[in-house]
């Protein structure tokens, strides 16, 4: 995608993933919740720049877990979190700004078949 020179929109959005488990699940950036845990084919749409603002992971089953998060840049898997500890019934907040370009894919998954809810906020810059 070339650097945009025309007008576009910039919208603050949120997404969710309910009952995340050990199946790699791609986050959606179309203002809809993740449709099904384990769906990992979703990418950043063409002509969009996404800025992840914050992500909240909450373990809801009463069991310690580990969280991993990968950004696929089209060719490589880049780990943002690699088996990060999440104690039972606890919350982890990732408060780092991460910029994503079209065709990037963000997947999250647990180390075992657990139950973690994810809420994330992002800025969607739409140049289409």
């Amino acid at each position: 995608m070339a650097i945009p020179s025309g007008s576009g929109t910039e919208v603050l959005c949120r997404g969710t993933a309910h009952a995340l488990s050990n199946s790699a699940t791609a986050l959606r950036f179309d203002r809809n919740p993740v449709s099904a845990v384990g769906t990992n084919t979703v990418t950043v749409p063409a002509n969009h720049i996404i800025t992840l603002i914050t992500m909240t992971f909450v373990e809801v089953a009463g069991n310690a877990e580990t969280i991993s998060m990968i950004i696929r840049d089209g060719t490589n898997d880049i780990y943002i979190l690699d088996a990060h500890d999440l104690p039972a019934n606890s919350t982890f907040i990732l408060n780092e700004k991460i910029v994503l370009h079209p065709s990037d894919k963000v997947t999250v998954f647990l180390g075992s078949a657990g139950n973690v809810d994810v809420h994330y906020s992002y800025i969607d810059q739409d140049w289409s």
Side-chain angles (χ1 to χ4, degrees):
M1 179 175 127
I3 296 174
S5 59
S7 62
T9 61
E10 185 173 273
V11 179
L12 185 59
C13 305
R14 64 134 172 102
T16 58
H18 177 66
L20 183 67
S21 189
N22 57 347
S23 297
T25 300
L27 302 181
R28 294 178 64 132
F29 300 104
D30 59 2
R31 303 179 193 152
N32 292 305
V34 170
S35 54
V37 170
T39 302
N40 66 0
T41 57
V42 181
T43 61
V44 172
N47 300 312
H48 288 253
I49 298 171
I50 300 296
T51 303
L52 272 172
I53 300 170
T54 190
M55 296 184 68
T56 303
F57 298 85
V58 180
E59 197 291 317
V60 296
N63 299 306
E65 274 301 336
T66 59
I67 311 164
S68 294
M69 179 174 153
I70 299 171
I71 296 177
R72 178 106 178 136
D73 67 2
T75 307
N76 302 299
D77 287 338
I78 309 300
Y79 276 82
I80 303 301
L81 293 172
D82 186 12
H84 182 80
D85 289 328
L86 182 63
N89 299 314
S90 68
T91 300
F92 171 70
I93 297 174
L94 178 65
N95 215 15
E96 301 296 326
K97 304 335 173 241
I98 300 170
V99 175
L100 305 167
H101 286 247
S103 78
D104 285 353
K105 177 171 61 170
V106 179
T107 56
V108 291
F109 56 93
L110 305 181
S112 63
N115 187 346
V116 171
D117 287 341
V118 181
H119 181 277
Y120 54 101
S121 59
Y122 60 95
I123 298 170
D124 179 5
Q125 294 174 301
D126 182 352
W127 301 98
S128 53

